[in-house]
Amino acid sequence: MNMAGIDAMCPERLLMEHVTSRWGTLVLIALLDRAHRFSELRREIGVVSEKMLAQTLRTLERDGLVHRDAKPVIPPRVDYSLTVLGHEAAEQVRGLARWTERRMAAVERAREAYDATRP
Amino acid sequence: MNMAGIDAMCPERLLMEHVTSRWGTLVLIALLDRAHRFSELRREIGVVSEKMLAQTLRTLERDGLVHRDAKPVIPPRVDYSLTVLGHEAAEQVRGLARWTERRMAAVERAREAYDATRP
DNA sequence: CGGCATCCCAGATGATACTG
DNA sequence: CAGTATCATCTGGGATGCCG
């Protein structure tokens, strides 16, 4: 265990991987805006397979970050929203996302400088 | 492109994957404390292969987050430290890490409740 | 000591088809 | 509409060996 209390395979790291996973981040950020139906999330996220979206939502629901509200109607309607816990997670993730936006240009300059100095 | 300006394969997402990757997070948090040699990072992180640590460090260096200082001595000595950009990234990541520590117990209760309601 | 090159595999992800 | 099931593919990551 290192100084931050996070090691390679501790429970905290697994939770962190759920919220920072490719689809986890996009789901959390989309839900930070408002509740979404399954198909709305698919459209908003862009290209994501049904399987991965369903799997991601189930993981986040199990962790208590996302609330699933399945209405007993035909055709089915399922709404996903953030819990209080999920809202906190989403804000952390959004902070990271916003940082990447602010600093993307600087990072790309750094890459060009790095690449320019070698084969 | 969704509302957060982040989609599945944009440059921002790649950058985010670098900083939130399994080894990226641990390296950034370790360097937030102080500069480390390669072998110090290996020990501090715990179980990490040389390959992944080297690869992670190269990626973070290329992104301009980590500074690599190779001293021309024998035996070789290489020190890694955070750049200003890297310090910002590391603080975001540490924020996420601290959140997982604060909320881990609540998440585990949520999982038990979830698991208790099905096969 | 601090790497890089190679091979290999489990697990993550995608594609497609099917269902309540 | 909102999934599940199955099969195929891709890739992060470990193991090993070599080198300046």
Side-chain angles (χ1 to χ4, degrees):
Chain A
M1 185 80 72
N2 62 42
M3 215 155 326
I6 296 284
D7 75 33
M9 284 318 281
C10 62
E12 286 81 5
R13 161 133 290 272
L14 281 179
L15 173 56
M16 190 144 155
E17 294 198 346
H18 294 169
V19 316
T20 64
S21 68
R22 186 191 309 302
W23 310 119
T25 57
L26 298 177
V27 165
L28 289 172
I29 291 175
L31 294 183
L32 203 45
D33 181 45
R34 60 173 177 83
H36 283 67
R37 301 181 60 173
F38 187 86
S39 53
E40 290 175 336
L41 283 172
R42 278 206 79 178
R43 277 192 301 277
E44 172 126 356
I45 289 178
V47 187
V48 55
S49 63
E50 292 176 358
K51 191 182 90 170
M52 289 315 300
L53 182 55
Q55 192 176 109
T56 300
L57 285 167
R58 229 179 314 117
T59 300
L60 296 178
E61 186 196 359
R62 178 166 184 269
D63 285 349
L65 306 182
V66 160
H67 173 68
R68 180 174 184 275
D69 181 18
K71 276 138 186 154
V73 297
I74 295 186
R77 178 190 177 104
V78 182
D79 287 280
Y80 291 94
S81 54
L82 293 177
T83 61
V84 172
L85 214 52
H87 197 272
E88 293 175 5
E91 288 190 319
Q92 293 287 335
V93 169
R94 185 174 59 181
L96 206 44
R98 285 179 169 165
W99 176 83
T100 67
E101 291 161 24
R102 277 200 311 279
R103 300 306 188 194
M104 195 67 236
V107 167
E108 282 175 338
R109 281 194 300 276
R111 288 176 187 164
E112 285 169 26
Y114 181 94
D115 294 343
T117 64
R118 38 216 111 188
Chain B
M1 187 78 75
N2 62 42
M3 214 156 323
I6 298 283
D7 74 33
M9 285 319 278
C10 62
E12 286 81 4
R13 161 133 289 275
L14 281 178
L15 173 57
M16 189 144 157
E17 294 198 345
H18 295 169
V19 316
T20 64
S21 68
R22 183 189 310 294
W23 311 118
T25 56
L26 298 178
V27 165
L28 290 172
I29 291 175
L31 294 183
L32 203 45
D33 180 46
R34 60 174 177 83
H36 283 67
R37 299 181 62 173
F38 188 85
S39 51
E40 289 176 335
L41 282 173
R42 277 206 80 179
R43 277 193 299 276
E44 171 125 357
I45 288 178
V47 187
V48 56
S49 64
E50 292 175 0
K51 189 183 98 171
M52 289 316 299
L53 182 55
Q55 192 179 108
T56 299
L57 286 166
R58 226 181 316 116
T59 300
L60 295 178
E61 185 196 0
R62 180 168 182 265
D63 285 349
L65 305 184
V66 160
H67 173 68
R68 179 175 185 275
D69 180 18
K71 276 140 186 154
V73 296
I74 293 186
R77 178 188 174 104
V78 182
D79 286 281
Y80 292 94
S81 55
L82 293 177
T83 62
V84 172
L85 214 51
H87 197 273
E88 293 176 4
E91 289 191 317
Q92 293 288 335
V93 170
R94 186 174 57 179
L96 206 44
R98 286 179 168 166
W99 176 83
T100 66
E101 291 161 24
R102 276 201 310 280
R103 300 307 189 193
M104 195 67 235
V107 167
E108 283 176 337
R109 280 194 299 276
R111 286 176 186 164
E112 283 169 27
Y114 180 95
D115 292 345
T117 64
R118 38 215 112 189

